[in-house]
Amino acid sequence: MINKKVNNVEEALNGVKDGMTFMLGGFGLCGIPENAISELVKLNVRDVTCISNNAGVDDFGLGLLLQNKQIKKMISSYVGENDEFERQMLSGELEVELTPQGTLAEKCRAAQAGFPAFYTPAGFGTEVAEGKETRDFDGKMYVLEPAFKADFAFVKAWKGDAAGNLVFKGTARNFNANMCGAAKITVAEVEELVPVGELDPNQIHIPGIFVQRIFQGKNYEKRIEQRTVRQKN
Amino acid sequence: MINKKVNNVEEALNGVKDGMTFMLGGFGLCGIPENAISELVKLNVRDVTCISNNAGVDDFGLGLLLQNKQIKKMISSYVGENDEFERQMLSGELEVELTPQGTLAEKCRAAQAGFPAFYTPAGFGTEVAEGKETRDFDGKMYVLEPAFKADFAFVKAWKGDAAGNLVFKGTARNFNANMCGAAKITVAEVEELVPVGELDPNQIHIPGIFVQRIFQGKNYEKRIEQRTVRQKN
Amino acid sequence: MALDKNGIAKRIAKEVKNGYYVNLGIGIPTLVANFVRDDIEVEFQSENGVLGMGPFPFDGEEDADIINAGKQTITTMPGASFFDSATSFSMIRGKHVHLTILGAMEVAENGDIANWKIPGKMVKGMGGAMDLVASADNIIVAMMHTNKRGESKLLKKCSLPLTGVGCVTKVVTNLAVLEIKENAFHLLERAPGVSVEEIKNATEGTLIVNGEIPEMKI
Amino acid sequence: MALDKNGIAKRIAKEVKNGYYVNLGIGIPTLVANFVRDDIEVEFQSENGVLGMGPFPFDGEEDADIINAGKQTITTMPGASFFDSATSFSMIRGKHVHLTILGAMEVAENGDIANWKIPGKMVKGMGGAMDLVASADNIIVAMMHTNKRGESKLLKKCSLPLTGVGCVTKVVTNLAVLEIKENAFHLLERAPGVSVEEIKNATEGTLIVNGEIPEMKI
C-alpha cells in the first residue's frame, strides 16, 4: 500500500502558492473542504483561480476567500446565495467564468481521465459557446470544452484511509468525487480516517490512486443553507 | 419508485430481434450475463452485432452464440482464449471490429452519458485509427471515437432491487457498469434481487435510472478461466 | 381567475406520467412534487446527486449532507441513490431523465429560453439549467405570464442572454397552457375564468388559437 | 548466460520505485510482482478493474469474481479497491499509473511497439495495451531478444501492425537492458556473461554502445 497520510492541514497544503489554480469540491456548502479553505485563508495566498460550483456564502466556505480578496478568478456554475460574489463580479473586481454545471463536472472528469476535451450540447447557442468550436453530430449541435488544468484539488470525504481511498456521504459526494485526480495534487480531508483494510474494496467511491495526500479533518461545521423541514402531525 | 422488475429471462428479453446490436458485460467469463446469453441461444436470434470485451470461451459465454453462428459482427478488444472466435475471424466468416479496451469502455460510457464522441490517445498511429479523425491537443495526438449505439445492453450484477439499482462484486463490475444506460434497453440480471430499501443509497454502483428491466437470475456457473492458486505452507 | 404558484404547479403535475424520472428546478417547479398523483410511479432527480427524493425531513432530522439542488434539506425514498456530479449529468445529458420542469425570465416562440442573467444587473449563473435544456426532449417552463412591470415573458425573441435554443416544448403560466411548435405559442388551455383575449394581450410572441380553447382542469 | 523469464522479471523489478502504481501485462511482466523489494510501497493495477492486487489465492479460496486482466484468480491487499472499466482506464489514460510493463513481438528503435496481431495468422487483439502504451510516460517492454527463428525483435522499423508509436522507453530482454531515445537502442547493461558482440548480433535496430557496458546486477 502506498501511504498518502499527512499529519495535518498545514502539511496537506504544502506547496500552495500565489497565482495557482485550485479545485474545491462541494455543492453550495454541502461537502466543502472546510479545513483546506480555513488554511487557504490563513496562508493568505493571493490571485488564485478557484474552480468550484459555488463560492460558498458571504461568511463561510469560499466566501471567506472572496471577502479576503484572495481570488482573482472564479470558475463556477452558480453565483446565487452569495452577495459578495455577485457584487465583485458585477463591479469587475473579480473575473468569473460561468460554466454550465454538467460541463463543470465533466471538465473535472476529463482532467481525471486524461481526455483533452469533450463535446457537450450544454450552452450551444448561448454566450457560453462564444469563441468555442461547435460541431454537428447526428443533427444536434455540440460545444467543444477543454479539460480543466489545476494545481491542487481540495476535496472532502466522509471516510478515508491512508491508502487514499475515499467514501462520501449523501449528496456531499457531488464534485468532490470528480475532482479527485483532476489536479496535479489532490488533497483529501476526511471526517473519519479509518484503518487501512476497514473500507470494503467493493464500496470505495474514489480509489486511492486519485489522491496524493489525505488527513483527518477537524471542527466541521457542516452548515445548512436552506433548512427546510416539515412538522410531525 | 419506478418498478423495473420482470419475472424471468423470457420477459426480460422481450423485443429482441434478428439484426440487432447487443452490449454484453463481463471480462473474460467474469461477470457475464449467463442467463441472457442462454436465452439468446434459445431464441436463436441471427445476424446480431455483439459489443463485448471478449467472446467467452469455445463452450461458454458468447462462445455459445459463435458456435451457433448467430453473430454477424463482434466489437471486442481481445480474442484470445477462444479458438472458434479466432477461426471465424481469420476465415472472414465473422466481421470483427477490434477496439482498444479503454476505448471500448469509454464508447459505452459516452453512450450512457450523452456524449456523441470523444478524443482518446489510444490507437493513434495504428490501424485502429485508420479512416478516423485525429487531432493534436497540446502536442499530443488523439483519435476521435464515436459513442456506441445499441438496442439492448445485457448486464449481470451481484445484487439489485426492483428500482433497478445495482451493486457489483469484485472485478465482475468491469463493463457491466459502463453498459448500463448505454443501449435503448438495459436488462440486468442479478444473483440476488433484494427488497427495495435494503441497498444503502450511498453504496449503489448503478442507479436504477440506467436500467429498464431487472430479474432474478438463476443457475449461475461462474466458471473460472485461469484457476491460479498457491499452496499453504 | 389567474392561477397562483400552487395552481401552476398543480397543472404541471398532470404532465408527469407514470414511469417518469423528473428534474424539478428551483421555485414553482419544486412545488410540482406536492401534486403528482399517488397512483403513478415517478422518481425525482436532483442534479447535485440524488435520485428518489422524498419530502422535507421532519424537524430535527435534517442532515447537512442530504440536500437538493436548491440547497434545501431533503429526505430520500426507498430505492433512492446518491452519486457524483458527472454521473448526475450523465443521467441528464444521456436523456435518462424524461421531463425537466424549470422557471424562466423569458421564453421565445421558437422555444428559446432565458433564465440566468440580466446583463449589468443580476447574475445568478446557469447552474445545471443549460445542461438540462440542451439535453431533455421534454421541457416544461413554469412561470408567470408577465413580469412585475406587466410585460409579457412569452416573446417573439428573447432579449436576455439565452440559456438554451429551441428547446422549450410547453409553457404553463398563471394564465394558460401553451405548446411551442412551428415558431409559435399554441394555446391549449386557459386558466379558469381567463379569456383568450386576456392571454392574447399578455403574449408578445405569435399566439395560435385554434378553435374553442378549454379551461384547465386542475 | 542469457536470462530466463524469471531473470528478466527480476531485473525489471528494480525499475519499480517507491510510491509507484504499476500495470503488469500478461506473461513475463506478471512475474515482476514476485521480485519487487519488500521495503518499498507499490500497488499493482489490473485494467479489468482492481487496484492493490495481491498474490494468487490459496487453493480452495479462489473466487470467480476476483481476477486479473490475464483472467487469473487473484487476491487483494489491504487498501485495495474495485471499479468499472471506464474508471480503470481513467487511471491509465490520466497518467495516474506510473509504470507499464508489457510484452511485445517487436519493438522499433523509435519506440514503436507491435504485440497484438500477425496478419492472416494470429490475432489476439490489443486488449488494454493500446490504451496503456498511448498513455503512460514510462513503458518498459519485457521480452526475449530474438524470436523462435532467431530473428531480432529489436528492429529499425516494426513489420507487424503497431500497438503504439514512439512510446517504449526501455526494453529488458534475456540479453540486455536498453533505453530507447533519439531513434536508437542505447545499451545500458548486459546479461551476466553475455558479450556486447552477442547483443549487437541479436539487434537489428540501431544499437548505441557507449563506453564500458556493465553486467546487470540482479
Side-chain angles (χ1 to χ4, degrees), chain A residues 27 29-31 156 158 168-174 191 222-229, chain B residues 200-202, chain C residues 46 48-57 61-77 80-82:
Chain A
F27 182 95
L29 299 180
C30 183
K156 188 237 160 194
W158 181 36
F168 303 94
K169 179 171 154 248
T171 54
R173 194 180 321 181
N174 56 60
E191 288 185 55
K222 297 179 71 168
R223 283 201 207 169
I224 291 175
E225 271 184 84
Q226 307 284 340
R227 188 177 303 271
T228 44
V229 297
Chain B
D200 179 353
N202 213 33
Chain C
S46 193
N48 60 314
V50 54
L51 185 68
M53 274 191 289
F56 294 144
E61 294 179 5
E62 61 275 20
D63 182 337
D65 289 329
I66 301 181
I67 65 169
N68 65 15
K71 282 99 177 176
Q72 297 172 313
T73 46
I74 56 157
T75 59
T76 56
M77 304 291 284
S81 53
F82 297 110

Side-chain angles (χ1 to χ4, degrees), chain A residues 69 84-95, chain C residues 120:
Chain A
K69 307 275 171 67
E84 178 65 12
F85 189 0
E86 196 168 350
R87 192 196 62 72
Q88 288 191 21
M89 176 170 52
L90 289 171
S91 71
E93 285 167 64
L94 179 71
E95 194 184 339

Side-chain angles (χ1 to χ4, degrees), chain A residues 106 133 135 138 149, chain B residues 106 109 133 135 138 149:
Chain A
E106 194 66 16
E133 178 181 323
R135 182 161 174 170
D138 284 340
K149 288 178 184 174
Chain B
E106 195 65 17
R109 195 256 172 186
E133 178 182 323
R135 181 161 175 170
D138 284 341
K149 288 178 183 172

